[in-house]
Amino acid sequence: MAVFTPVSQSALQALLSQYNLGSLVDHQGIASGIENTNYFVTTSQGRYVLTLFEKLTADQLPFYLDLMHHLASKGVACASPMPTKAGALFTSCEHKPAALCTRLSGQDVHLPTVDHCRLVGQTLAQAHLAVADFKGQQPNLRGLSWWQETAPVVMPHLSEPDQALLAQELQAQLDFAATPLAQQLPRGAVHADLFRDNVLFDGSPDQPILGGFIDFYFAGVDTLVFDLAVTLNDWCIDHSPTDSGCWDQARYEALMTGYKSVRLLSVSETQALPMQLRAAALRFWISRLYDWHLPRQASMLKPKDPTHFERILRNRQSEMQS
């Protein structure tokens, strides 16, 4: 959610003329994130988030926006796209595909409690149940094939030990993907990026209220347990300055308990979870390596340290070896 494309007031007014959302009151760029341009937009009728899609095409957008609309219609707490006067879920702004979505109440939580994690687990499981009848089909565009394409690009920037780690883990994931266990895992449309900055909360640390999930623009059809693994690797690890990548066992158990209170894992998912935790760490290590060494220009872009997910990957590997 950086600002790659500046949006003028006149462009916003032209955009709002396509909606029944009132007149423009204020707008402000959002600094966090690294993929799309995002603005908070306040109108005379409410508060919204405007997203300009920097990479996704108009042909790709229906999957993401239909998924958000579907989940919201099923009662899952998440941002939902607003339809234009013509009924479309997206339009264009500053020559880019664009969508206006509901702005949920609350803020993201940097240091989650066990109660935050329990609520995230419950809502993630609700989303996994809700997509059972979702018809949209699009692969996870940051899945295994993307790892294969991107690893050779970042490899020259790495030390020899990190090159060895990347090559070894990528091969391990390729081998696992070919196993009968991997091929029988339940699949569906998943968020695939449910980090702490993509969930909003109201309330207090002792009594949090989940406002909803946001930023579905890395979503795709993948295994449900991969989506769970992505979430665990961010919400349930050591968040102290040491950044060890080790588990915080209380938060891990809270998120898993919350998830299982809504949806039980299958035997195959339980067996696959350790490898999926490694896969989730690998996916974000590669993407952060790419953003760190091959950055794009943006007025608020702040690339994130890739060594964070290197440590997580090494931890997930060592856990399987112990």
Side-chain angles (χ1 to χ4, degrees), residues 53-187:
F53 300 95
E54 301 292 344
K55 290 185 175 181
L56 297 174
T57 67
D59 290 339
Q60 293 171 321
L61 283 183
F63 174 85
Y64 304 102
L65 300 174
D66 288 348
L67 174 59
M68 295 162 67
H69 178 75
H70 178 85
L71 290 174
S73 72
K74 294 280 187 173
V76 178
C78 68
S80 183
M82 303 302 297
T84 66
K85 294 174 183 177
L89 294 182
F90 68 96
T91 179
S92 64
C93 183
E94 299 288 7
H95 309 290
K96 300 286 178 67
L100 270 174
C101 293
T102 53
R103 181 177 173 183
L104 303 175
S105 63
Q107 297 179 328
D108 62 318
V109 175
H110 180 64
L111 296 174
T113 66
V114 292
D115 293 314
H116 291 114
C117 292
R118 175 180 50 80
L119 289 172
V120 167
Q122 289 174 347
T123 308
L124 181 62
Q126 290 168 4
H128 287 173
L129 292 177
V131 298
D133 59 349
F134 178 65
K135 305 302 183 184
Q137 291 294 323
Q138 177 175 279
N140 179 358
L141 299 181
R142 291 293 179 95
L144 185 57
S145 61
W146 184 83
W147 309 344
Q148 290 178 276
E149 295 169 2
T150 309
V153 178
V154 301
M155 196 74 80
H157 300 280
L158 306 184
S159 65
E160 288 187 7
D162 284 354
Q163 287 182 351
L165 174 64
L166 179 54
Q168 180 253 345
E169 184 60 35
L170 181 58
Q171 187 59 54
Q173 293 298 333
L174 286 166
D175 293 343
F176 177 74
T179 64
L181 174 60
Q183 293 171 14
Q184 69 182 356
L185 293 172
R187 300 174 64 84

Side-chain angles (χ1 to χ4, degrees), residues 199-213:
V199 183
L200 304 181
F201 285 94
D202 272 328
S204 66
D206 293 333
Q207 293 183 312
I209 301 169
L210 194 145
F213 294 173

Side-chain angles (χ1 to χ4, degrees), residues 3-33:
V3 174
F4 298 95
T5 302
V7 177
S8 67
Q9 183 168 329
S10 60
L12 270 174
Q13 289 170 336
L15 174 81
L16 287 172
S17 69
Q18 302 176 55
Y19 293 84
N20 290 311
L21 299 176
S23 57
L24 178 64
V25 174
D26 190 25
H27 69 289
Q28 179 183 3
I30 305 175
S32 61

